[in-house]
Amino acid sequence: MSEKPKLHYPNGRGRMETVRWVLAAAGVEFDEEFLETKEQLQKLQDGKHLLFQQVPMVEIDGMKLVQTRSILHYIADKYHLFGKDLKERTLIDMYVEGTLDLLELIIMHPFLKPDDQQKEVVNMAQKAIIRYFPVFEKVLREHGQRFLVGSQMSLADVILLQTILALEEKIPNILSSFPHLQEYTVKMSNIPTIKKFLEPGSKKKPPPDEIYVRTVYNIFMP
C-alpha cells in the first residue's frame, strides 16, 4: 500500500487549500505537516526539499512536488480529474486558470490593511459578477450537463466550487443573478467525497484569522 500524500504548509488555507480540496474530491486521504516557525521552513530549504525554496510542497509517489499548479495537475491527472482527451484538458486548464485568478484575490485578502479589506471585497464581487461567473453560467446553461467539461467531475469543477463557497463567506448573495451556478453549487456540494470534506471535523481549513496571518508573517517575512 502506497503512503498517503503529505502536505507541508502552515495550518491554514492559503495556496494549499486547493490541493486539499482536490485530494478530498478524489477521495484520497492525506497527512499534513504544519509549518509553524521560520526554522521549520529553513530546515526544508537546507535539506533541498524545496526546488524553488517555497511551499506549498507535497510529498507524493516518492516525489517532493512544488509550484501549486504543477501539484494540482499531477493530482488531477493521477485521479482522473483532468478530462479524457487534449481538448477537454485544455478547456479544464482555461477554466482553472481563470478561477485561480479570482481565488488569488481571496487568498491575499486577509493580508491587506484593515482599511483596504472592505474595498477589496467590493472589487472581488465586481470581478466575480462581471468577468468570471457569467462565463461559467453560460457554459452550464448551453451544454446542460452536470459538470463544466465532459461527463465527469474535473479539476475545474472542484476549484470553482471552492472559490464560490469562499466568496459566499464574504458575500452570501454573490450567486443571486446566476441560477445555473446556484443549482451547480448545490449538486457539487452533495457529491459524497466533497460533502464529507465540507462536514465539521474534516481537513478543510476555516477562514483565515489573525493567528493564521501572524503565523504566516512570522514564517515567511525576513
Side-chain angles (χ1 to χ4, degrees), residues 13-15 17-18 98-112 117 120-121 123-125 127-128 132-133 159-171 174 206-208 212-213:
R13 290 183 179 178
R15 292 188 176 90
E17 188 71 355
T18 303
T99 309
L100 287 175
D101 287 346
L102 180 57
L103 184 60
E104 183 69 12
L105 301 178
I106 303 170
I107 290 171
M108 296 309 298
H109 182 263
F111 300 96
L112 298 175
Q117 289 193 7
E120 185 61 11
V121 169
N123 178 49
M124 286 190 287
K127 287 190 173 180
Y132 295 103
F133 287 173
I159 297 177
L160 179 56
L161 179 64
Q162 177 199 357
T163 303
I164 288 172
L165 295 183
L167 272 172
E168 285 186 330
E169 290 172 349
K170 301 180 184 302
I171 314 156
I174 190 75
Y212 171 70
V213 171

Side-chain angles (χ1 to χ4, degrees), residues 40-50 53 64:
Q40 285 176 288
L41 177 63
Q42 189 68 51
K43 185 176 179 181
L44 286 175
Q45 293 170 335
D46 292 346
K48 303 188 186 306
H49 299 302
L50 304 178
Q53 305 298 302
K64 293 180 173 67

Side-chain angles (χ1 to χ4, degrees), residues 70-134:
S70 297
I71 295 168
L72 294 173
H73 282 179
Y74 183 84
I75 294 168
D77 218 2
K78 179 179 174 69
Y79 296 108
H80 313 293
L81 297 171
F82 214 10
K84 70 179 188 304
D85 55 31
L86 180 59
K87 182 177 179 180
E88 286 196 356
R89 286 195 294 276
T90 303
L91 280 172
I92 290 166
D93 231 359
M94 284 198 304
Y95 296 156
V96 164
E97 288 296 316
T99 309
L100 287 175
D101 287 346
L102 180 57
L103 184 60
E104 183 69 12
L105 301 178
I106 303 170
I107 290 171
M108 296 309 298
H109 182 263
F111 300 96
L112 298 175
K113 295 177 181 178
D115 291 345
D116 294 331
Q117 289 193 7
Q118 188 55 44
K119 295 176 186 175
E120 185 61 11
V121 169
V122 174
N123 178 49
M124 286 190 287
Q126 289 177 338
K127 287 190 173 180
I129 291 168
I130 295 170
R131 181 181 301 177
Y132 295 103
F133 287 173

